């Protein structure tokens, strides 16, 4: 106790001392980029439109699956401008109108916007409504000019709109609600003012409407019935011919309209392929006269030669991607075709009318880790010799975007990093040899020069050029991007798993990609068709063998979207990015529990729970089983059934009783259950403590020298439930109808330790659980404001342990094990505060030893990260704290939490589309590493109580040295002087 | 109309006072052992005699109260299982169901009667004790239409229960007529490692507590005045107005010394030296005194 107090007071003094040295928490302007880095991404490209006609900057406008519209520099791939739309504002289509506006259709076809092409400013926005939900299609009629205006034809929600591209005004609209029409395409034959709307009605009726694009007048309506029904999409082959598949996918229909007559021609696919292997799919494309079919893994290109005659051009079983058509000259079209062959891809550009007359044929070496080509966009340019050149933009399986030109990859963007689903960290290799002397000597001059510059800067003698040199030196200091472990633990590898199923290792120093690994690589596609990455776990973290063994991570994935699809495990070396081994599991993976035990090779034991609540132990070694058997009766877990409103607790029972003997599989038994009444409560959030969290002390000394003991159970679960009515949007219910209940549940016994109702409040709830407290954020309907509440939970059963004499005489029960089966004697303290922002994410800082005070990291709706001291969310805050309480650091009570502009961790930057904030402790106790990810990535170091245990980066060692030298010199001078004086005294 | 309202309000407050369990706060009913601790009764004892003890106090309010809120008696059963065996009936909870005028229903006056163990069950329980296995109980999740959506299960290591007899402690979390969860275990601690100990008496000593949700404290609302005083850091409270001495002592002390010095010099000098020197030294300090302390310091 006394020691703890002494340490505390010492630390406090230390803090005080260093805080006086470094008086502000935030950054100076010139410190931006020293510790932090920020990377901008756009996500997987859905659609791309080139804008290269004018002589100005060549650019490509893209829309992505992360709801980003961006204009990219075609030369370097940099972002000119970018807009991240809201998550529910999905982009359906983009195009360019009148050469200067980017038109986007989004939000299920209900919002049409125009953006100025050079700078990305929004020009106009119109809201398009319609009678029913339908497919949304966007078509810009470039050749139909009305007073220099392009008409934008939008089919959305069962209504056809014509919108002026100058101001977004709706020129005319036409409803198609009468019939159960499922519109497939809106077609404009080139060079006419007619628009055709093509669709199916009642699944076997083919409908075609001819409409005058100038005024929306219905000119013609034709329909024809086909008994076989239709499947999926239609593909336009020429202005008069369409192809579709019947409902079985085995017969190809050629639909042609001649003088108002619709006729069908049926061709069985088996006639084309030889032996049909399965249902075919028409690949959407817009090349005149040619379409492609996919039957299993075979791609067939077919040409339509008038009157429904089909000619098979090519059959290939290589993975193929086709671009849309590009018109290169009057009436001539070309398209790009990319085929995979081993580690190379073959790019061919073919004219639409001549299959064998290749305009371009190139082979490009492609990194296997990028996977297959998913999309191709083609663009042409005029070469220096006045011939046509082609460049293509390709989207790969790992969501990266590449520009190919002249047989080379001109640039590439790793846009898979825009959709990170899990993050873990790994240490870097230990520096094996000492730094060689030669290197130091080589750098000695540089080092001296650097310090001279710094000294000049400190003494304010530096010229602006010198300042720039200092700044650039600080930014690129090679120290922070080294590939070895550092003393302070600032340099680490961030291992991230993206939605594309690719692992990236990012260096924390500068954010560069150290290695990447695509989980579903080319060589084994049949094992698992649709691999979905789920989670990352630290599999092996060598401490004893850190010099000669590499750490590895476990990637857990699933084959297919359903929950009971079989799982896939992959073990990846974090230094090299090589896959050590992979397992296709026979069982599903519902939950992964890293156990707190490691075997002799420091592999962590993991328990995988499948959908039938069987537990499977990994690694499958006899040693692991041995360790596991010892702790068999102490392993508990729980499952949350969100949609059911039931939380269940489980323990292990016995070996699996299946016909196949599997000694690593265990049956479970249900120990407890909590059933929320479905009519009044619905689970909206569950949060637990981080598994690897370190807590420095259980005791908390409060103002009157009293001690409170934190209730530090690892098995606490925070659950928030809301009234089922109130789980919609804010404002959809009255305060009387909505409530929010917060629970603290012990997950071993299922005890509810605390339960509190917030009347008139509703979700969404964002919560963070650390040590003995939970902070959660919700909306208070009565106060019309967001609120943050804190619950702290204290252990009363240890309340009488504060006697020092007991401690001295050994009569305390501090060392006795704690059992969840004892009846807990806990008290909780809670308090609510108003908070201005709505949240996207919330996290808490974590440090190596847990001594440093905590900060909440709040991902605001503005995509920034705000650091808020936990002391503001102390339930013991009172209006007038006593002197003792003030000394303890209790802040006087206020009704709302302050937002201090300097405490934005992201300073001026925005982490667009913020999704998660990850904190990792550094080895240095004061510092924590923060990684925020969304569409953008942001990384920084944070010292919640300032860096009390190290000198700051800009500490001038040279100045210190010079001072010491000067002092020594002064000592000598004064010594000599005094000697001389003494001598003179003696001579007198 | 008015008077009836007053009466109603009065009755409500009275009932709230006499039934702390009906309030919004935690409904800790029947915490005393004597009221429900049924030790080893062979058959479920009728709970009637016990409420009659407390009845006289509450009856008058209850009678009139029931004009507004009707209550009825309900029963629901507790099942138990030994290890992985099937659930069998182990006892009955009986309670009064109170229907509020606003439509809500709550349980009050929960009583529990435990069936004593049969010989077979004793044997099973002994086995549990030996293998340190789980003793499981379950309750219906809806007391009106059992089992409701699902059973509420809770379990405890059997070795936690034996003391003198078999001590058990139920905390039943209710939401209206729904049982959310039940905390089941020994009333005290159950230290690990659990030692094998057979109970002296094979009878249950049961404690039951009903709990409803607590209201969260409202966020404090302050007037703008206090808000205005609050700045970002929160720590930096505006310093209170200090006295003149507290503010300027560092100027006043040297000034005082100078004055003292000047006075002593003025007293000493006229005697020894020429009078012309005195104003030369005395004037500035004298001037400083006239002009005030701050300017004197500025000159120094």
């Amino acid at each position: 106790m006394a020691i703890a107090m002494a340490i505390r007071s010492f630390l406090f003094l230390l803090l005080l001392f260093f805080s006086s040295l470094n008086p502000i928490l935030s950054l100076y302007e010139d410190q931006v980029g020293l510790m932090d880095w920020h990377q901008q991404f756009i996500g997987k490209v859905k659609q791309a439109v080139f804008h290269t006609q004018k002589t100005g900057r060549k650019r490509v406008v893209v829309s992505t699956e992360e709801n980003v519209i961006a204009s990219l520099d075609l030369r370097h791939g940099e972002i000119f401008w970018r807009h991240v739309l809201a998550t529910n504002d999905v982009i359906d289509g983009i195009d360019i109108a009148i050469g200067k506006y980017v038109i986007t259709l989004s939000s299920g076809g209900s919002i049409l916007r125009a953006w100025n092409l050079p700078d990305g400013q929004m020009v106009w926005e119109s809201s398009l409504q319609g009678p029913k939900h339908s497919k949304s299609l966007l078509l810009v009629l470039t050749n139909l000019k009305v007073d220099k205006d392009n008409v934008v034809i939008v089919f959305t929600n069962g209504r056809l709109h014509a919108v002026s591209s100058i101001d977004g005004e709706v020129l005319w609209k036409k409803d198609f609600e009468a019939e159960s029409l499922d519109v497939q395409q809106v077609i404009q034959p080139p060079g006419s003012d007619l628009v055709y709307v093509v669709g199916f009605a009642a699944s076997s009726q083919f409908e075609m409407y001819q409409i005058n694009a100038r005024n929306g007048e219905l000119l013609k309506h034709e329909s024809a019935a086909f008994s076989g029904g239709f499947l999926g999409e239609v593909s336009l082959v020429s202005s008069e011919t369409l192809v579709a598949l019947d409902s079985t996918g085995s017969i190809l229909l050629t639909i042609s309209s001649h003088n108002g007559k619709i006729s069908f021609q049926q061709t069985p696919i088996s006639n084309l392929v030889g032996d049909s292997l399965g249902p075919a799919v028409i690949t959407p494309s817009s090349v005149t006269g040619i379409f492609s079919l996919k039957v299993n893994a075979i791609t067939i290109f077919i040409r339509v030669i008038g009157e429904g005659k089909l000619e098979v051009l090519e059959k290939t079983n290589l993975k193929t991607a086709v671009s849309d058509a590009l018109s290169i000259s009057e009436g001539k079209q070309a398209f790009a075709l990319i085929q995979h062959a081993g580690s190379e891809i073959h790019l061919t550009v073919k004219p639409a009318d001549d299959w064998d007359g290749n305009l371009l044929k190139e082979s490009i070496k492609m990194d296997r880790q990028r996977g297959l080509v998913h999309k191709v966009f083609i663009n042409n340019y005029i070469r220096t010799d006045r011939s046509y050149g082609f460049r293509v933009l390709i989207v790969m399986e790992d969501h990266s975007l590449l520009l190919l030109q002249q047989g080379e990859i001109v640039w590439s963007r790793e846009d898979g990093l825009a959709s990170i689903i899990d993050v873990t960290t790994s240490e870097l290799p230990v520096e094996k040899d000492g730094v060689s002397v030669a290197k130091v000597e080589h750098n000695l001059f540089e080092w001296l020069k650097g310090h001279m510059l710094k000294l000049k800067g400190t003494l304010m003698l530096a010229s602006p050029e010198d300042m720039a040199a200092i700044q650039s030196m600080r930014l690129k200091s090679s120290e922070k991007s080294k590939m070895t472990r550092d003393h302070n633990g600032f340099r680490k590898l961030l291992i991230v798993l993206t939605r594309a199923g690719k692992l990236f290792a990012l260096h924390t120093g500068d954010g560069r990609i150290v290695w990447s690994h695509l989980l579903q690589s080319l060589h084994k596609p049949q094992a698992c068709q649709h691999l979905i990455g789920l989670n990352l776990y630290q599999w092996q973290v060598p401490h004893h063998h850190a010099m000669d063994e590499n750490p590895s991570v476990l990637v857990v994935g699933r084959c297919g979207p359903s929950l009971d699809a079989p799982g896939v495990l992959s073990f990846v070396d974090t230094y090299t990015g090589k896959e050590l081994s992979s397992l296709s599991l026979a069982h599903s993976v519902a939950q992964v529990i890293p156990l707190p035990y490691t075997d002799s090779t420091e592999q962590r034991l993991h328990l995988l729970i499948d959908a039938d609540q069987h537990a499977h132990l990994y690694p499958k070694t006899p040693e692991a089983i041995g360790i596991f058997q010892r702790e068999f009766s102490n392993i508990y877990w729980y499952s949350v059934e969100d949609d059911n409103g039931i939380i269940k607790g489980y323990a292990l029972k016995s070996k699996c009783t299946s016909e196949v003997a599997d000694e690593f599989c265990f049956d479970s038994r249900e120990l407890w259950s909590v059933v929320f009444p479905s009519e009044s409560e619905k689970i909206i959030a569950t949060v637990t403590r981080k598994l690897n969290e370190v807590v420095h002390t259980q005791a908390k000394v409060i103002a009157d020298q009293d001690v409170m003991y934190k209730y530090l159970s690892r098995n606490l679960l925070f659950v928030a439930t809301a009234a089922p009515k109130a789980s919609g949007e804010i404002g959809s219910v009255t305060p009387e109808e909505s409530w929010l209940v917060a629970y603290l549940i012990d997950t071993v016994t299922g005890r509810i330790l605390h339960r509190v109702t917030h009347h008139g409040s509703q979700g969404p709830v964002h919560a963070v659980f650390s040590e003995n407290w939970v902070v959660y954020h919700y909306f208070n309907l009565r106060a019309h404001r967001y609120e943050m509440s804190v619950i702290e939970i204290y252990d009363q059963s240890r309340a009488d342990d504060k006697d020092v004499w007991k401690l001295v005489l050994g009569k305390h029960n501090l060392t006795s094990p704690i059992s969840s089966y004892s009846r807990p004697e806990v008290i909780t303290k809670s308090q609510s505060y108003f908070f201005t922002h709505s949240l996207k994410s919330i996290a808490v800082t974590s440090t190596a030893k847990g001594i440093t005070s905590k900060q909440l990291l709040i991902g605001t709706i503005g995509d920034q990260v705000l650091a808020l001291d936990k002391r503001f969310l102390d339930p013991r805050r009172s209006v007038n704290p006593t002197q003792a309480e003030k000394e303890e650091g209790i802040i006087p009570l206020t009704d709302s939490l302050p937002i201090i502009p300097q405490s934005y961790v992201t300073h001026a930057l925005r982490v667009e589309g913020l999704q998660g904030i990850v904190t990792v402790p550094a080895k240095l106790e004061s510092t924590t590493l923060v990684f925020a990810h969304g569409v953008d990535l942001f990384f920084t170091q944070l010292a919640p109580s300032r860096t009390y245990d190290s000198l700051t980066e800009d500490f001038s060692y040279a100045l210190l040295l010079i001072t010491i030298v000067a002092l020594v010199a002064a000592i000598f001078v004064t010594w000599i002087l005094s000697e001389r004086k003494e001598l003179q005294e003696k001579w007198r | 109309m008015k008077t009836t309202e007053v009466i109603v309000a009065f009755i409500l407050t009275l009932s709230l006072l006499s039934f702390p369990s009906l309030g919004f706060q935690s409904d800790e009913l029947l915490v005393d052992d004597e009221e429900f601790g049924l030790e080893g009764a062979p058959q479920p004892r009728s709970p009637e005699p016990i409420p009659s003890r407390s009845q006289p106090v509450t009856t008058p309010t209850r009678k009139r109260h029931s004009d507004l809120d009707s209550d009825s008696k309900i029963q629901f059963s507790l099942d138990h299982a030994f290890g992985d065996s099937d659930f069998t009936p182990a006892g009955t909870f009986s309670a009064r169901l109170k229907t509020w005028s606003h439509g809500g229903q709550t349980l009050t006056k929960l009583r529990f009667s435990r069936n004593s163990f049969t010989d077979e069950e004793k044997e099973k329980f002994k086995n549990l004790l030996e293998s340190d296995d789980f003793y499981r109980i379950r309750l219906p999740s809806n007391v009106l239409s059992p089992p409701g959506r699902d059973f509420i299960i809770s379990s405890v290591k059997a070795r936690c229960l034996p003391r003198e007899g078999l001590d058990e402690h139920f905390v039943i979390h209710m939401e209206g007529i729904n049982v959310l969860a039940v905390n089941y275990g020994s009333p005290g601690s159950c230290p690990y490692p659990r030692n094998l100990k057979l109970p002296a008496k094979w009878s249950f000593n049961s404690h039951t507590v009903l709990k409803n949700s607590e209201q969260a404290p409202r966020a404090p609302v302050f007037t703008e005045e206090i808000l205005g005083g609050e700045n970002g850091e929160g720590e930096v409270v505006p310093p209170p107005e200090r006295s003149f001495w507290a503010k300027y002592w560092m100027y006043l002390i040297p000034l005082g010394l100078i004055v003292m010095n000047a006075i002593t010099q003025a007293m000493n000098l006229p005697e020894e030296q020429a009078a012309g020197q005195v104003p030369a030294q005395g004037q500035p300090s004298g001037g400083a005194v006239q002009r005030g302390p701050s300017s004197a310091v500025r000159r120094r």
Side-chain angles (χ1 to χ4, degrees), chain A residues 854-869:
Chain A
K854 305 236 169 203
Q855 278 184 338
L856 293 170
L857 298 174
I858 295 166
T860 65
I861 196 74
D863 293 321
Q864 293 204 304
V865 180
L866 177 74
L868 183 72
D869 218 318

Side-chain angles (χ1 to χ4, degrees), chain A residues 644 653 669-673 675-677 679 743 751-752 755 757-759 817 819 821-823 832 895, chain B residues 84 133-134 136 149 151 153-155 169 174-175 178 180 183 187-188 190 192 213-216 220 222 230:
Chain A
N644 229 347
K653 191 160 81 177
R669 60 157 67 134
E670 195 184 323
L671 284 189
W672 55 265
S673 61
V675 180
F676 295 104
E679 66 274 12
Y743 294 88
R751 283 175 202 270
I752 295 182
R755 174 178 168 203
T757 311
H758 297 265
H759 284 285
S819 169
Y821 288 108
S822 298
R823 189 174 152 217
S832 304
D895 57 351
Chain B
D84 298 316
D133 211 340
F134 290 100
R136 303 199 288 162
R149 281 207 297 147
F151 281 104
I153 299 171
S154 188
S155 50
H169 188 267
M174 303 287 298
E175 173 68 51
N178 294 300
L180 278 180
N183 301 357
C190 178
Y192 186 85
S213 184
E214 286 170 40
Q215 281 263 40
F222 290 129
E230 183 60 30

Side-chain angles (χ1 to χ4, degrees), chain A residues 530-544:
Chain A
H530 300 282
L531 183 106
I532 300 168
L534 291 177
N535 287 105
L536 273 175
Y537 297 92
Q538 289 183 335
W539 177 251
Q540 189 179 16
V541 185
H543 293 289
H544 303 304

